[in-house]
Amino acid sequence: MTSKKLTSSAGLTIPKDLRLRLGWKPGMSVDIDPTSDGALIIRAHSPRCRFCGSYENVHKYKDITICTECAKEMKEAI
Ligand SMILES: [Zn+2]
């Protein structure tokens, strides 16, 4: 475990050894998700469904990312 202080603007620097281990580069995008127990999960950014949050079977339509399942539900609802 590594303890860090947030910067004056509430930013966080990921320790270099962790960045190297994960292959994360400065400037890359990450996804940050709160958990129900007050923690944060930080992952390298990848497209996720705008409606259910799934990372699987995600497609981009115009400016919306949507998974196959939500697209099916939307089609049936319209
Ligand atoms: Zn979805």
Side-chain angles (χ1 to χ4, degrees):
M1 172 182 308
T2 303
S3 294
K4 300 281 289 188
K5 283 189 176 182
L6 298 179
T7 66
S8 59
S9 60
L12 177 66
T13 301
I14 307 296
K16 187 174 183 179
D17 62 319
L18 289 176
R19 281 189 281 122
L20 292 174
R21 195 184 321 163
L22 295 168
W24 289 13
K25 307 282 188 213
M28 68 179 275
S29 295
V30 296
D31 296 329
I32 303 171
D33 292 307
T35 66
S36 60
D37 61 351
L40 293 175
I41 297 174
I42 304 173
R43 298 182 180 91
H45 175 72
S46 63
R48 64 193 303 185
C49 177
R50 178 181 189 153
F51 301 97
C52 72
S54 173
Y55 288 96
E56 301 196 11
N57 301 315
V58 174
H59 313 278
K60 188 163 186 168
Y61 178 71
K62 297 190 176 177
D63 284 336
I64 296 173
T65 49
I66 186 169
C67 74
T68 302
E69 194 60 36
C70 287
K72 261 188 218 171
E73 288 177 22
M74 184 180 290
K75 184 178 177 188
E76 289 169 8
I78 294 176

